[in-house]
């Protein structure tokens, strides 16, 4: 499970499916999904979405790139899906998040811990 989660952390912007992740963990797809959720408290798909949103949060805070460009860069196939997922996890739209959250002058690891979405 850790190998699969590490693969998602490294390649969050790549298209990853349960089949590929189960292969990395050396288990069947059904077993992988069940055990991943029991181990980490969320489905593999939700974990991957959260990782992508965390990266997008950083890019929204620290760069002036367009929201659409950021959505594609972090691995979403459509800006609409990105905005809907971002709002569901963070509680604000990407544009609202950018307006209300100033760039932070602290190390990224601290910022990630402080601003980690709860769901």
């Amino acid at each position: 499970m850790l190998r699969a989660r590490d693969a998602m952390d490294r390649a969050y912007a790549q298209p990853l499916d349960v089949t590929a992740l189960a292969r990395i963990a050396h288990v069947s797809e059904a077993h992988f999904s069940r055990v991943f959720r029991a181990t980490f408290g969320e489905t593999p798909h939700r974990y991957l979405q959260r990782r992508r949103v965390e990266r997008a949060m950083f890019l929204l805070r620290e760069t002036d790139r367009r929201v659409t460009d950021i959505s594609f860069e972090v691995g979403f196939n459509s800006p609409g899906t990105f905005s809907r997922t971002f709002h569901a996890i963070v509680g604000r739209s990407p544009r609202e998040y950018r307006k209300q959250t100033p760039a932070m002058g602290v190390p990224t690891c601290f910022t990630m811990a402080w601003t980690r979405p709860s769901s």
Side-chain angles (χ1 to χ4, degrees):
M1 291 303 123
L2 291 174
R3 279 185 284 213
R5 189 185 69 177
D6 289 346
M8 285 193 274
D9 289 342
R10 272 191 314 275
Y12 62 87
Q14 304 303 316
L16 293 169
D17 60 3
V18 173
T19 305
L21 295 169
R23 213 174 305 126
I24 291 169
H26 303 292
V27 296
S28 72
E29 295 173 32
H31 185 70
F32 174 75
S33 293
R34 221 176 11 259
V35 173
F36 190 95
R37 184 176 188 146
T39 303
F40 300 113
E42 58 191 344
T43 65
H45 178 70
R46 188 60 170 185
Y47 180 83
L48 185 58
Q49 284 184 322
R50 191 172 49 78
R51 285 294 294 130
R52 288 173 173 170
V53 167
E54 287 173 355
R55 180 64 181 156
M57 289 168 70
F58 170 78
L59 293 171
L60 288 166
R61 269 192 324 270
E62 304 295 330
T63 70
D64 59 352
R65 292 185 207 151
R66 295 178 332 136
V67 173
T68 301
D69 295 337
I70 290 172
S71 72
F72 290 122
E73 183 177 333
V74 299
F76 284 91
N77 293 327
S78 98
T81 302
F82 169 68
S83 292
R84 194 170 41 257
T85 303
F86 191 95
H87 192 279
I89 292 174
V90 178
R92 299 183 266 182
S93 74
R95 283 183 177 80
E96 289 171 348
Y97 178 81
R98 176 176 265 166
K99 280 188 228 171
Q100 297 170 358
T101 308
M104 305 210 178
V106 297
T108 304
C109 58
F110 288 113
T111 304
M112 283 181 63
W114 292 333
T115 62
R116 172 161 276 140
S118 59
S119 60

